[in-house]
Amino acid sequence: KSDNLPLSSIFCEDVAAALHAIGIKRLYSHQEEAVKAVKAGENVIVSTATASGKSVCYNSPIVDSILGSSGTTALYIFPTKALAQDQLRALQCFCKSIPGIDEAKHIGVYDGDTGKQKRLELMEHAKILICNPDILHVTILPRHREFSSFLSRLKYIVLDEAHAYRGVFGSHVALVIRRLRRILELAYNASSLQFFLSSATIANSTAHAQHLTGLCDWTVVNNDGSPCGKKTFLLWNPPLKQAAKRRKKKREEALLDQEARLLFRQAIQDEEEKEQEKEQEKQQQQHDPIRYQAWKGRQLQKREKRAADQRLRESGSVNERLSPIMEMGMLFAECVQHDLKCIAFCKTRKLSELVLTYARQVLDQMDSDRGEAIAAYRAGYSAVHRRAIEGSLFNGNLKGVAATNALELGIDVGALDVTLHLGFPGTVSSLWQQAGRAGRREQKALSIYVAFDGALDQFFMKNPEKLFEAPIEHASIDYQNPMLLEQHLLCAGYEYPLLVENQEEVCKEASQIGGGMGEAEGGNDMVFFGSTIRHLVMDLQKRTLLGRSPDCSGDLRWFYIGGEEKGGPSSRVNLRAIDETVWTVVDDITQGVVEEIEESKAFFSIYEGGVYMQQGKKFLVTKLDMKRKVASVRRADLKYYTSIRQHTDIRVTGGQSAYPDRAILPKDRLSLVPYGSTAQLEHARHSVSFVGFMKVWHATGQVFDRVDLNLPNIEYDTVCSWMRIPDKARALVEQENRELRAGVHAAAHALLNVLPLYLMCNAQDAGCECVNESETRWKPERLLIYDRQPGGTGISAQVQPLFGRILRAAYELVRQCDCKEECGCPNCVQHGDCPQYNAVLDKRAALIVLEAVLEREDEIID
């Protein structure tokens, strides 16, 4: 409960008045607790629900402190540009009536879109500087001397949406924050820094704050005191096609009459064909016995094909469900028609465009004028376009948007009534984060989860308690990842010389040279980066990237000597593995730019003959200019859309033997790994090949044409750890009339599911070879885990010595899971990030595969 203290007793008069001006008369209990902790000089993490007023927890005490001490500055770090701009508007609105703070001069965003003149003004006059981790990494830290006026007075550092910093991206950010602390302490003598982290609900708030910043002492505020209205959560499983037909009685009777007539005609036709076949059979047998046997074989194939087609029609009519995309579109239209403000969350850009198109079609059929009151919101649109959509949704001009997870973070789009979710978003925390966008204050809210026909969604439809009882995931980062740590050590050495000797060595050397170097000019960097950096520094010295001063033999510091490239080594370290090369989509009639798409994602949506969609408008792709990277498109009124067909392959490029004859033991004999394994660590090539596309009718969702394509592959080099599956596994699986590929796919998922028990990684950091349901190509029989970013992330390198333990843990996970489904469940062999939607899985076959591999490993180790 809040103490209900008047604002004037907590803040100065100007801040209290500013809070009153934006409608805040009293603080919620969690806001009051956080503000008191900030004012007491503590590091604070607030982990409460979406729309609980977390920004008030840090804005109000920081502005109050700035007014009390004119020399104080604050650095706000947001994970995305869009969120930074949104918070800038909110902060300027809060400060506009406060004397002493010029919201245009003293508060600003410094990112890649900021003009040169504005950057110079912010460097000189900013009291609150808003940025993202990327600009901090590539600009502010390498050029920290240009920001000395701001950094020398810095007291507060805010990390908003801290739950977004997880996995490899979070590990990068954790090292960037350590570099920031290091520069502030060594170059600017900052001794009273305070950190404030805000986050959605996560399972490990304290540990996450410690790992992200390197600081031990934290005050955790997680008792949400904001009012909350009734939330209804609806699980929507699209009806079976046969069941849908039964509900349309008149239409069904007409169809049955028509079907009876067709069956009667078919029966007559079959009798005539049988008579013809008998006559042909006699003639063939008398004329040529060899050709007769060949003819007889063809007739058998035709009959078997007819029987297979009939079985497919029968199973399809019973087991296939109506399109979840169409269902989502109809629900979206229904919400808008009833004046309910909503967001329809979709996994991909294409799905968001399709949902928008279906919703507008439904609204047009109703003769509704609401079709223009909905839009799509996704990556690829210009910043101006996205800001316009956010503003329209906030002020009520738009009633709803079909969005990717770009709106999952806390961008303020006003009060929402409904959230729609097309498929499971990958994690429970993401689902609740999305659902939290609806229902502010004490308003009622509705969330609808529309299921795909995949195994994971259908499991939750059959077992809803498993979804609602599932624990919130941990936010995991690994700031000790050797590969990432090495990259950031070079960046740190460029920014300020490194010192990695222990205290005794420093004091001894300092006394010999009169105390002029070492400790006098900087502390030991193991405090910031850990004790493992000594070995890494030695390795970097061997590669002539770090070196000591040749002018002073007693100087123990390490300097960056890797070259004078523009921006320093940070320009080569990409925090998010974002592709900077883009394709430009151009209207060949108006020559206007429609959109820009990252090269790694371009061929998924633009290819000659394909249908490109933007805001519900359809464009036919007429030409691709590979040299200029320009796609020409033309507006077209089409009744279909297209879907790309691609294959993903992981090609191991290392040259070691296919199956080692002995175990590869850990190099560190004192490690926790009790045994080795035959797992190999190799370089690999990740390749996506585009084989063609399908044309799909909008009205029915039926594929009516397939077109071949000849496009270049999208490839990148990575690293993998893998282990061969013995031939015995295939024999055992086939004895039970099961598919080996389904068992291997499920076993690989089980490995990924237990990986967080041994490594601090995110679901998006590591991948396995997933099986496409329609794919019939041969693939190597192996269990493989690879790094899902170009160049690798160090995950596979850490997996290799642990592969034996991970394998045994995966086997126990599958064996002990009590689910009865053949395709398993999310607790054993289903994976929320499977690109094939958990198709082709067999839990029993996975158990056989894992057991066979373990037996083979034991034989080799013995």
Side-chain angles (χ1 to χ4, degrees), residues 38-43 61-62 64-66 68-69 71-76 127 149-158 184 190-196 215:
V38 172
K39 283 182 164 290
E42 300 168 4
N43 297 314
I62 287 175
D64 190 69
S65 177
I66 290 173
S69 175
T72 299
T73 60
L75 180 67
Y76 285 17
K127 293 185 177 181
S149 174
F150 175 83
L151 294 176
S152 61
R153 298 176 289 129
L154 185 61
K155 182 178 180 181
Y156 299 103
I157 298 174
V158 175
L184 292 172
S191 57
S192 58
L193 275 176
Q194 270 186 260
F195 278 82
F196 188 100
L215 300 172

Side-chain angles (χ1 to χ4, degrees), residues 543-564:
R543 290 154 53 188
T544 65
L545 295 172
L546 290 178
R548 282 177 169 162
S549 173
D551 300 326
C552 182
S553 60
D555 192 346
L556 300 179
R557 296 174 300 166
W558 295 94
F559 297 81
Y560 175 74
I561 57 172
E564 294 296 328

Side-chain angles (χ1 to χ4, degrees), residues 232-523:
T232 302
F233 209 104
L234 176 64
L235 302 187
W236 186 284
N237 205 11
L240 295 170
K241 289 184 177 180
Q242 190 70 10
K245 291 178 183 178
R246 287 173 184 162
R247 287 197 295 267
K248 300 175 182 178
K249 189 174 180 180
K250 292 183 180 180
R251 183 181 174 188
E252 183 183 2
E253 290 174 352
L255 288 172
L256 287 174
D257 290 342
Q258 184 180 3
E259 186 176 351
R261 289 192 295 271
L262 289 173
L263 288 173
F264 179 74
R265 292 174 185 170
Q266 186 68 44
I268 295 175
Q269 186 177 348
D270 288 345
E271 287 296 325
E272 292 175 352
E273 288 180 358
K274 285 179 181 179
E275 290 297 326
Q276 291 177 3
E277 287 178 7
K278 287 179 180 179
E279 186 62 28
Q280 290 176 0
E281 185 175 352
K282 288 180 182 179
Q283 295 176 4
Q284 289 281 357
Q285 190 172 9
Q286 293 172 1
H287 184 260
D288 190 337
I290 296 176
R291 288 187 179 181
Y292 166 70
Q293 292 297 330
W295 173 84
K296 190 174 181 180
R298 287 195 298 274
Q299 297 307 311
L300 179 62
Q301 286 181 342
K302 288 180 181 179
R303 285 195 293 273
E304 287 180 348
K305 185 177 185 303
R306 285 198 295 267
D309 290 344
Q310 180 63 25
R311 285 196 303 272
L312 185 62
R313 284 194 296 271
E314 290 174 356
S315 64
S317 64
V318 175
N319 297 324
E320 286 186 7
R321 296 185 178 274
L322 295 180
S323 167
I325 308 172
M326 293 182 182
E327 294 283 297
M328 185 81 159
M330 288 188 282
L331 288 168
F332 190 24
E334 192 75 11
C335 291
V336 172
Q337 186 64 15
H338 285 80
D339 205 29
L340 298 173
K341 199 172 179 181
C342 66
I343 295 179
F345 286 102
C346 307
K347 286 188 175 183
T348 66
R349 304 178 185 186
K350 185 68 166 282
L351 286 175
S352 64
E353 295 287 355
L354 286 172
V355 167
L356 174 66
T357 301
Y358 282 127
R360 282 181 174 170
Q361 287 179 353
V362 173
L363 291 170
D364 289 344
Q365 291 169 3
M366 296 178 181
D367 291 329
S368 171
D369 59 353
R370 296 294 179 91
E372 297 302 317
I374 56 178
Y377 182 99
R378 57 175 176 79
Y381 295 159
S382 67
V384 174
H385 193 178
R386 288 199 301 271
R387 297 299 90 74
I389 295 172
E390 293 162 15
S392 296
L393 190 59
F394 183 84
N395 61 33
N397 292 335
L398 282 178
K399 289 297 180 183
V401 291
T404 57
N405 61 0
L407 278 180
E408 184 178 313
L409 298 178
I411 298 172
D412 190 1
V413 291
L416 299 174
D417 302 300
V418 182
T419 59
L420 305 173
H421 313 266
L422 183 56
F424 185 65
T427 64
V428 174
S429 59
S430 288
L431 182 63
W432 300 142
Q433 178 79 353
Q434 293 175 1
R437 299 310 306 265
R440 288 173 178 254
R441 308 299 186 269
E442 298 181 9
Q443 295 178 345
K444 293 181 179 180
L446 171 66
S447 293
I448 305 177
Y449 168 13
V450 181
F452 280 102
D453 212 14
L456 184 60
D457 283 347
Q458 289 305 310
F459 176 82
F460 285 137
M461 293 298 120
K462 295 173 185 175
N463 306 278
E465 71 283 355
K466 299 292 186 182
L467 177 64
F468 294 104
E469 294 173 0
I472 299 295
E473 296 87 356
H474 285 65
S476 299
I477 57 177
D478 184 10
Y479 60 91
Q480 287 290 291
N481 181 315
M483 183 174 179
L484 306 188
L485 188 54
E486 183 179 275
Q487 295 172 345
H488 286 274
L489 277 178
L490 289 176
C491 298
Y494 178 85
E495 294 154 6
Y496 198 88
L498 290 164
L499 183 65
V500 298
E501 275 64 31
N502 59 40
Q503 190 72 17
E504 291 77 12
E505 291 172 335
V506 171
C507 292
K508 180 179 178 181
E509 193 68 34
S511 64
Q512 292 176 356
I513 61 173
M517 291 291 176
E519 187 67 19
E521 294 193 19

Side-chain angles (χ1 to χ4, degrees), residues 620-631:
L620 185 66
V621 182
T622 58
K623 183 182 178 182
L624 294 184
D625 188 331
M626 295 293 180
K627 290 184 178 180
R628 295 172 53 227
K629 299 191 184 303
V630 173

